[in-house]
Amino acid sequence: MELESKYELLTPQFFADPYPTFQRLRAEDPVYWDPRLRMWFLVRYDDILSVSRDLRFTAERADHFGIHADSNVRDKLEVSSRFLSRF
């Protein structure tokens, strides 16, 4: 059985214009678990800031998401990981 996601977060349409989806997430599901991607999404600044400064969370676990990504995506993920590891 394939798990259904409430939001289409991997479609070309999302990547072309993610802002309507983010606006909907902020309004309806600011802390969202995606069952297909098996990961949490936080879309409000205060939530992201709180989690990024909380030592109970680590950016190291996220490193595996970019292993098979295109090189330009891996570069962006590396920048994010460096930023999060400073806290």
Side-chain angles (χ1 to χ4, degrees):
M1 178 173 92
E2 187 172 322
L3 299 172
E4 292 287 325
S5 295
K6 185 174 179 180
Y7 305 93
E8 294 298 327
L9 301 172
L10 297 178
T11 64
Q13 294 82 9
F14 170 77
F15 286 105
D17 185 15
Y19 303 108
T21 302
F22 287 141
Q23 184 177 17
R24 187 173 160 213
L25 277 162
R26 278 191 298 276
E28 299 174 12
D29 295 302
V31 178
Y32 171 67
W33 170 256
D34 188 287
R36 188 170 33 159
L37 298 175
R38 297 185 52 194
M39 60 190 298
W40 289 98
F41 289 85
L42 288 89
V43 292
R44 291 187 304 203
Y45 178 83
D46 289 339
D47 294 334
I48 295 167
L49 189 60
S50 178
V51 167
S52 67
R53 291 183 173 172
D54 190 323
L55 296 178
R56 294 174 295 171
F57 298 94
T58 177
E60 292 175 15
R61 290 182 290 164
D63 289 343
H64 73 278
F65 290 117
I67 291 172
H68 300 293
D70 292 337
S71 61
N72 64 333
V73 173
R74 281 196 309 266
D75 294 343
K76 292 175 183 174
L77 290 172
E78 183 179 322
V79 170
S80 299
S81 292
R82 273 198 319 265
F83 170 77
L84 292 172
S85 68
R86 292 187 311 182
F87 294 101

